[in-house]
Amino acid sequence: PLCRDSSSSYALLVNPRGLKCDTFVTHAWRERFLEFVDSLMEHYSDFETRVFWICFLANPQTWSPDELSNLLGPSALQSPFVIAIQQCETFVVVRNGIMNMYSRLWCVAELVLVM
């Protein structure tokens, strides 16, 4: 409700001026939230100070399809995902036992872009 009311992403709701991210996180969207967070916490001893770029927090989840289309731009190479990948120092893959993330084209594209 807070994001919908502010027409913002959660990340910009809590950090209106934005933050420079250092770790891009790719995932398959089918994982349980706590499992997702636990995976990151187990991997990073500096979890609490690290700035992660996570699509479901960085992109507005309550926007209409037209608004999201405008955000993503005319080319995938101009999308917030690609900009974040280019700016982050670290790229991490969070896998889960529910879905093979390599069956999602966008996850594969992110992996290709980071290479």
Side-chain angles (χ1 to χ4, degrees), residues 21-22 25 32 35 39 44 49 58 69-70 74 82-84 90 94 98 108:
C21 61
D22 48 44
V25 181
R32 294 172 186 90
E35 176 186 8
S39 294
Y44 291 103
T49 57
S69 180
N70 287 335
V82 175
I83 294 167
T90 306
V94 176
I98 298 171
V108 174

Side-chain angles (χ1 to χ4, degrees), residues 1-14 61-63:
L2 292 173
C3 294
R4 182 191 61 234
D5 294 344
S6 68
S7 190
S8 176
S9 68
Y10 181 77
L12 287 177
L13 185 65
V14 297
Q61 299 299 308
T62 60
W63 283 11

Side-chain angles (χ1 to χ4, degrees), residues 1 5 19 27 32 68 75 77 98 103 111:
D5 294 344
L19 296 173
H27 64 108
R32 294 172 186 90
L68 287 173
S75 164
L77 296 176
I98 298 171
S103 66
L111 289 171

Side-chain angles (χ1 to χ4, degrees), residues 29-95:
W29 276 87
R30 297 277 191 222
E31 63 276 332
R32 294 172 186 90
F33 179 74
L34 293 178
E35 176 186 8
F36 177 81
V37 173
D38 285 346
S39 294
L40 292 172
M41 289 178 72
E42 288 173 16
H43 188 72
Y44 291 103
S45 59
D46 62 346
F47 174 83
E48 303 232 354
T49 57
R50 186 170 284 271
V51 180
F52 295 96
W53 194 94
I54 302 169
C55 60
F56 66 82
L57 299 174
N59 291 321
Q61 299 299 308
T62 60
W63 283 11
S64 71
D66 287 339
E67 291 171 310
L68 287 173
S69 180
N70 287 335
L71 174 69
L72 295 176
S75 164
L77 296 176
Q78 297 170 337
S79 73
F81 294 85
V82 175
I83 294 167
I85 286 171
Q86 292 170 340
Q87 294 180 357
C88 288
E89 299 169 10
T90 306
F91 182 89
V92 65
V93 174
V94 176
R95 298 183 70 185

